[in-house]
Amino acid sequence: MHRVSKLPFSLRTALLLIAPVAAGLLAACTPDNNQSTFGTAGPVASDQADLFIFIFWIAAVVFVLVEGAIIYASIRYRRRSNSDKLPYQTHGNDKLEITWTIIPVLILLAIAIPTLTDIWEQQNGAPTDKGEVLNVEAIGHQWWFEFRYPDHEVITANELHIPVNRPVGFKLESEDVIHSFWVPKIAGKVDMVPLNDNYLWMMGDEVGEYYGQCAEFCGIAHAHMRFRVIVDTEEDFNAWIAGMHTASDPPAAGSAEASGKNLFAGNCSSCHTANSTTPGSYAQEISSQQARWNGWVSDIENSGIVSAPNLTHFGTRSTLAAGVKDLNQESLIEWITDPSTIKIGTRMQDHAAIYNTADGKAKLADAEISDIAAYLLSLKPGSGAMGETAAISSGDTLDGPELFATNCAACHSTGDDKIVGPGLAGVGDRAANRVDGLDADEYLEQSLREPDAFIVDEFTAGLMPSWEKLGDDSIDALITYLKTLK
Ligand code: CUA
């Protein structure tokens, strides 16, 4: 102990600094760490880990032999203090040279065979002999992950459900960023690149929730690009898919959720869809995403819309903001109030009209934000009494805010902000005085049925479709809702 205390100060400091860093790095080797590649939960990751261990031991043996030879030679043949004699000079030993050429060739061959086998098995698409392949399209965005299940017409974000022991074939795409898609315990990692589809397959062989992580520096939010993979039993997975096709129960009149639903329709629904449960909603969401992208890319500085996660059954998720926070009322309020405190670089704050304030915080009262959070957390599969098809023909769709969110919000804000069309705050009052001989109801009805009949100055004819197809009752419900916008 006496000796240790005599270590020079700088060395002790260095040890004190290095020890926690080394401990931190070694913690990643703990198999049960969430992001450790050693505790694997699927064949792709375990083949990759086995290959790593195999190469590691070969490298370790080479290291010990080479370093041992160097240490032995430098001690055995070191210069003696009392001798000026040159050692025996040699070059061109054929036996030695052939030996140290052949040994590395054999080592590299031993490494190449399993490496190429693994690459071959893992790069050739999902194997069909391990069970029915589930197809998923994973799309990178700034700054979130979108997941589409084309076979099931389900669309979601940041939390991916897959069935246990079934191969999942991924098509990896990206809209506007290069992420590296990685689920350390199950498979990884392949880049998501714009305009160039990549493919990856994985299979989870243990039910559980696994961490996903962007593994490549992609920009300001790189450190916050997480996602979750939930490996379900086949039964739970089917229930999840069925749930994604079951509408949420409408909130009780007068509840916080009902107020939140209206506020969401008015302030959030231009970018976020929250009701993709009906047949046809999958295709509609894909075209809405495209429209949001087109709207954003055509005017990146000023666009009021931007690609955004689909929030259908958001209340069933366990995380917020691409896996960064646990999802609860408190974290959701924090997120809606000032999203960049949770995720720097979020485009929501740059583009959504409600953040167009001096300090960038939402221009909503605390109670309003709390209501929106309550509404979002209430988004879960409903009782199913009004199943997929019933919801379309029943009174459910005669909900004005819902009709507005589904059909109008992509182009119209409920405030003063222009998106594609005019902001609709106070539209009822304006409508009453727009055309002589037409009252507000008549003006609004004609504008919905025949949009080009009256075009407001500065806006272009031919963009708005006729909403005749919604039917008389829905048009009435929409007009009633529009007149409430102040
Ligand atoms: Cu995406 Cu780092």
Side-chain angles (χ1 to χ4, degrees):
M1 289 315 290
H2 184 68
R3 281 185 157 197
V4 172
S5 68
K6 284 207 164 165
L7 281 173
F9 179 71
S10 59
L11 184 54
R12 289 180 62 192
T13 313
L15 283 174
L16 282 175
L17 286 174
I18 289 168
V21 173
L25 289 173
L26 286 172
C29 301
T30 317
D32 50 6
N33 182 291
N34 283 325
Q35 309 232 116
S36 168
T37 49
F38 292 108
T40 59
V44 173
S46 74
D47 285 355
Q48 289 170 348
D50 290 349
L51 183 61
F52 169 81
I53 302 274
F54 174 70
I55 294 174
F56 172 84
W57 282 117
I58 289 184
V61 169
V62 169
F63 176 83
V64 168
L65 290 179
V66 171
E67 293 302 311
I70 290 173
I71 291 167
Y72 171 79
S74 42
I75 293 172
R76 173 79 175 75
Y77 300 108
R78 72 188 184 279
R79 181 184 175 188
R80 315 279 161 167
S81 55
N82 54 0
S83 164
D84 280 335
K85 212 178 87 185
L86 273 178
Y88 171 67
Q89 300 296 298
T90 179
H91 66 89
N93 184 323
D94 288 349
K95 265 191 209 158
L96 257 182
E97 288 190 6
I98 289 170
T99 311
W100 68 45
T101 305
I102 287 179
I103 291 176
V105 166
L106 294 177
I107 293 174
L108 290 179
L109 260 180
I111 291 175
I113 292 168
T115 305
L116 290 172
T117 313
D118 277 1
I119 291 176
W120 187 260
E121 278 173 7
Q122 298 186 357
Q123 296 290 304
N124 270 336
T128 46
D129 58 346
K130 287 183 164 34
E132 191 197 343
V133 176
L134 173 73
N135 292 299
V136 174
E137 293 171 21
I139 302 164
H141 295 266
Q142 289 187 34
W143 300 104
W144 54 285
F145 293 98
E146 179 175 353
F147 299 119
R148 297 177 181 171
Y149 296 74
D151 312 336
H152 298 282
E153 303 212 331
V154 163
I155 207 157
T156 188
N158 298 327
E159 289 188 14
L160 174 81
H161 285 254
I162 61 172
V164 72
N165 289 327
R166 256 179 68 187
V168 185
F170 284 88
K171 180 166 143 193
L172 302 177
E173 306 163 53
S174 175
E175 197 170 56
D176 49 14
V177 62
I178 300 179
H179 295 307
S180 179
F181 185 81
W182 185 34
V183 191
K185 287 188 177 302
I186 302 184
K189 40 181 105 137
V190 175
D191 280 6
M192 311 173 107
V193 184
L195 306 176
N196 179 61
D197 298 342
N198 281 334
Y199 295 86
L200 162 85
W201 73 271
M202 64 171 72
M203 187 160 121
D205 55 19
E206 267 174 61
V207 169
E209 194 172 317
Y210 299 93
Y211 281 46
Q213 168 81 49
C214 174
E216 176 170 277
F217 181 72
C218 50
I220 190 164
H222 164 65
H224 302 302
M225 286 309 303
R226 301 182 203 161
F227 58 100
R228 294 292 164 91
V229 177
I230 296 114
V231 179
D232 290 321
T233 61
E234 185 78 26
E235 201 181 14
D236 287 350
F237 176 74
N238 291 335
W240 180 75
I241 292 284
M244 292 300 282
H245 287 295
T246 308
S248 303
D249 289 333
S255 62
E257 289 81 4
S259 149
K261 183 174 182 174
N262 280 346
L263 289 159
F264 181 88
N267 296 293
C268 320
S269 63
S270 295
C271 302
H272 291 286
T273 311
N275 58 354
S276 298
T277 55
T278 53
S281 58
Y282 179 75
Q284 190 178 350
E285 174 65 353
I286 289 173
S287 74
S288 296
Q289 269 302 8
Q290 188 62 47
R292 290 175 198 133
W293 167 252
N294 293 344
W296 178 78
V297 89
S298 65
D299 187 4
I300 291 173
E301 294 289 306
N302 306 308
S303 176
I305 49 172
V306 67
S307 298
N310 187 301
L311 301 180
T312 301
H313 297 333
F314 182 74
T316 61
R317 297 189 196 162
S318 59
T319 63
L320 173 67
V324 170
K325 279 228 160 191
D326 288 343
L327 177 62
N328 52 49
Q329 175 85 6
E330 207 176 25
S331 61
L332 196 47
I333 287 174
E334 192 187 341
W335 171 256
I336 299 168
T337 306
D338 192 357
S340 60
T341 57
I342 292 179
K343 179 180 282 187
I344 192 166
T346 170
R347 286 205 175 141
M348 175 158 99
Q349 205 157 13
D350 290 341
H351 293 279
I354 54 163
Y355 298 105
N356 192 4
T357 53
D359 59 2
K361 289 189 186 172
K363 52 182 165 195
L364 292 170
D366 289 351
E368 292 177 314
I369 292 175
S370 167
D371 288 353
I372 295 176
Y375 164 65
L376 289 172
L377 290 172
S378 77
L379 292 175
K380 292 178 178 173
S383 54
M386 311 175 289
E388 309 176 359
T389 39
I392 284 184
S393 51
S394 79
D396 186 41
T397 50
L398 298 187
D399 177 335
E402 180 112 11
L403 281 164
F404 182 85
T406 307
N407 300 299
C408 320
C411 298
H412 294 281
S413 76
T414 53
D416 297 322
D417 303 284
K418 293 176 203 166
I419 303 176
V420 176
L424 296 178
V427 70
D429 297 338
R430 291 200 299 278
N433 307 314
R434 195 73 88 188
V435 176
D436 284 345
L438 293 185
D439 65 18
D441 284 46
E442 288 161 341
Y443 176 85
L444 290 172
E445 181 174 348
Q446 196 162 343
S447 298
L448 283 163
R449 291 184 191 274
E450 214 184 312
D452 290 345
F454 319 117
I455 290 292
V456 179
D457 290 346
E458 316 163 43
F459 292 94
T460 319
L463 287 180
M464 179 168 153
S466 165
W467 295 103
E468 191 86 54
K469 63 185 175 191
L470 292 177
D472 296 348
D473 293 345
S474 295
I475 287 181
D476 286 349
L478 257 180
I479 292 170
T480 307
Y481 173 65
L482 288 173
K483 289 195 296 183
T484 66
L485 300 175
K486 298 295 173 196

